[in-house]
Amino acid sequence: MKLTFNAADERFREDIASWLQAHLVGEFEHLKFRGGPGDEHMFPEERKRWEQELAAGGWVGIGWPEACGGRGASIEQQVIFAEEYARAGAPGRIGHIGEGLAGPTIIAFGTPEQKAKYLPGILNGTEFWCQGYSEPSAGSDLANVRTRAVRDPDSGRWRITGQKIWTSLAHESQWCFVLARTEPGSVAHRGLGFFLVRMAQPEITVRPIEQLTGTSEFNEVFFDDALAEDLVGEPGDGWRIAMTLLGFERGVSTLGQQMQFQNELDEIIRIARSNGAASDPAIRQRIAEAHTGLRLMRYNALRMLSGDERSGPDSSALVYKLHWASWHRNLGALAMDVLGPEAELLDGAPYELTRLQSLFLFTRSDTIYGGTNQIQRNIIAERGLGMPKEAKGR
Ligand SMILES: Cc1cc2nc3c(=O)[nH]c(=O)nc-3n(C[C@H](O)[C@H](O)[C@H](O)COP(=O)(O)OP(=O)(O)OC[C@H]3O[C@@H](n4cnc5c(N)ncnc54)[C@H](O)[C@@H]3O)c2cc1C
């Protein structure tokens, strides 16, 4: 198991740390520690300009192959980048769905024309993406997707009709990748296609959903005979492509988020010291437990990085999601208990939340998105531990 980074990696760490220090100034200074979970509605235009600043520095798509415009950075370097990014308090990324999900999927499955058409906009920080997977009756059971795609016999183009839901950042995105049924009458994971769709067309309606935080990071998206720009792979390949993409989702950025967690825990500890909560024995126990949980996360991440872990459904990646999501949700609750009665006071009506109040509310969703805790446990039990499969209602 690998516990340290080598000298070249440490030099890379110095490069990114000093670049961030030099560039998170002037018009970007006020974005420090902004735009993260629960604060994602703040400064979207400024954060888009920040994406372009990052891109100009060559820091977007660092893990992509050089042939596709990336730097071919190693996993270690990508983790270091994510760690230093959070340590510097650089703003929440608006480009992460394009960089981390759409881009790698197009690199893996797209044609040369599709790569030439879509990758540059992601790499230069001017085009943003959202993920059109979930539907009102297809969340955990994603294979139940009902949105359909029909090919126009004359033009050969695909048109999409249906509804997606919980689509993060749809209101800030030029593009959406959409999972839709290409084969009428098909069920479950068969007969699906993976489409790239331009958001700016009258056949698409984006309706914000107000969240617990009072903000609307995600949306309902309605497609009414909307034109798909491209189909990735063949009709029927959608499920395989969609699942590969979910593998990217559990990748390196998740590891780098530990630094953001450390920032949050540090703030909670600072408040506990200053308001006397640190003298409460029960709070002290929970702070120590949070610290221990974060250390375990770090060791688990390093173990994954070492690359000697099995990569099956009982792999450390699944265990990791379950662990960090529950840990982070508990951290949100700890923050409220450390704040005491102050946790219930708002700076203004209706929703002027402090950073820790947003943290508490947003962390309720950590155990839902990217696979709920129950679903993670089902997969670990069934496929990892060989337990009998759960009964299906259909
Ligand atoms: C903040 C946030 C951002 C999101 N962003 C996006 C996005 O950008 N794009 C996108 O496509 N989706 C997005 N989602 C949707 C997310 O993927 C779904 O919420 C998630 O997959 C769960 O689906 P669901 O909400 O339909 O809940 P359901 O699947 O209806 O589940 C409801 C409850 O039942 C439990 N449950 C369901 N099936 C089982 C089972 N077989 N065994 C035991 N328990 C079960 C679940 O664990 C859960 O507790 C986002 C969600 C959140 C919270």
Side-chain angles (χ1 to χ4, degrees):
M1 174 175 162
K2 186 170 189 164
L3 287 170
T4 54
F5 295 100
N6 67 29
D9 290 339
E10 291 304 339
R11 275 195 302 281
F12 178 87
R13 186 186 293 282
E14 280 163 29
D15 281 354
I16 175 61
S18 54
W19 188 91
L20 286 167
Q21 200 180 15
H23 289 257
L24 269 172
V25 292
E27 61 167 321
F28 301 120
E29 173 109 44
H30 71 292
L31 298 182
K32 277 191 184 177
F33 297 102
R34 300 310 303 264
D39 192 44
E40 65 293 321
H41 57 298
M42 292 306 292
F43 310 116
E45 293 312 316
E46 292 90 331
R47 280 161 55 218
K48 285 181 182 173
R49 279 208 299 283
W50 168 249
E51 291 285 339
Q52 286 148 29
E53 182 83 359
L54 267 182
W59 296 110
V60 175
I62 59 168
W64 294 11
E66 287 175 53
C68 294
R71 286 192 183 194
S74 64
I75 299 276
E76 284 81 352
Q77 290 176 343
Q78 293 175 62
V79 169
I80 288 171
F81 172 82
E83 282 184 346
E84 291 307 314
Y85 191 89
R87 194 195 309 273
R93 297 285 308 275
I94 278 195
H96 67 290
I97 298 177
E99 182 194 48
L101 302 181
T105 305
I106 293 167
I107 290 171
F109 298 101
T111 61
E113 292 73 30
Q114 288 170 348
K115 288 178 196 169
K117 185 168 165 186
Y118 298 105
L119 300 183
I122 301 176
L123 279 177
N124 63 28
T126 54
E127 293 189 353
F128 303 99
W129 286 75
C130 59
Q131 175 177 22
Y133 275 19
S134 304
E135 298 184 7
S137 53
S140 300
D141 190 8
L142 183 61
N144 199 29
V145 158
R146 290 180 185 170
T147 293
R148 57 184 198 281
V150 177
R151 202 194 313 235
D152 182 307
D154 299 326
S155 66
R157 312 275 316 255
W158 291 87
R159 292 207 166 256
I160 296 188
T161 300
Q163 184 196 345
K164 296 292 172 179
I165 194 166
W166 322 125
T167 319
S168 298
L169 297 173
H171 56 300
E172 299 288 355
S173 302
Q174 285 91 345
W175 297 100
C176 183
F177 49 87
V178 176
L179 195 57
R181 212 158 274 293
T182 48
E183 218 179 280
S186 62
V187 290
H189 54 275
R190 284 176 294 275
L192 293 167
F194 189 96
F195 293 92
L196 309 180
V197 181
R198 192 188 293 279
M199 293 295 283
Q201 49 177 310
E203 292 79 12
I204 294 183
T205 308
V206 176
R207 248 193 243 157
I209 302 174
E210 187 171 319
Q211 291 169 232
L212 206 58
T213 43
T215 61
S216 298
E217 180 251 7
F218 53 35
N219 305 269
E220 290 178 291
V221 182
F222 298 88
F223 299 83
D224 184 10
D225 215 23
L227 189 66
E229 192 82 7
D230 273 297
L231 167 72
V232 180
E234 297 297 322
D237 275 351
W239 186 253
R240 184 172 63 96
I241 297 174
M243 289 302 106
T244 307
L245 180 142
L246 288 183
F248 297 135
E249 195 169 12
R250 302 197 182 98
V252 286
S253 58
T254 315
L255 308 183
Q257 76 190 27
Q258 287 169 27
M259 190 55 65
Q260 173 209 322
F261 293 168
Q262 186 69 57
N263 291 341
E264 292 161 358
L265 179 58
D266 288 347
E267 188 175 347
I268 291 169
I269 293 174
R270 186 185 58 73
I271 293 172
R273 282 187 205 282
S274 69
N275 75 0
S279 317
D280 177 331
I283 294 282
R284 291 159 68 100
Q285 287 283 322
R286 287 167 63 195
I287 288 177
E289 206 175 305
H291 168 79
T292 311
L294 194 53
R295 297 312 298 165
L296 284 175
M297 238 184 273
R298 173 114 187 118
Y299 295 135
N300 198 33
L302 288 167
R303 193 170 57 174
M304 283 196 278
L305 266 184
S306 307
D308 51 6
E309 277 287 293
R310 289 195 292 149
S311 59
D314 57 340
S315 72
S316 43
L318 278 177
V319 177
Y320 185 76
K321 163 69 177 61
L322 193 57
H323 179 63
W324 80 250
S326 309
W327 180 91
H328 202 217
R329 189 182 56 185
N330 292 343
L331 188 77
L334 174 61
M336 294 300 93
D337 292 338
V338 163
L339 283 171
E342 218 183 292
E344 294 177 25
L345 299 178
L346 291 178
D347 280 346
Y351 270 117
E352 265 189 58
L353 302 170
T354 62
R355 214 171 121 204
L356 290 186
Q357 287 168 330
S358 295
L359 173 78
F360 168 66
L361 293 176
F362 198 89
T363 52
R364 312 310 295 171
S365 71
D366 284 329
T367 54
I368 298 174
Y369 68 83
T372 70
N373 271 12
Q374 288 80 7
I375 294 300
Q376 305 289 334
R377 282 194 286 262
N378 273 353
I379 299 173
I380 293 169
E382 287 179 15
R383 288 189 243 155
L385 303 176
M387 303 274 176
K389 274 193 165 298
E390 67 167 332
K392 288 273 180 212
R394 62 185 160 81

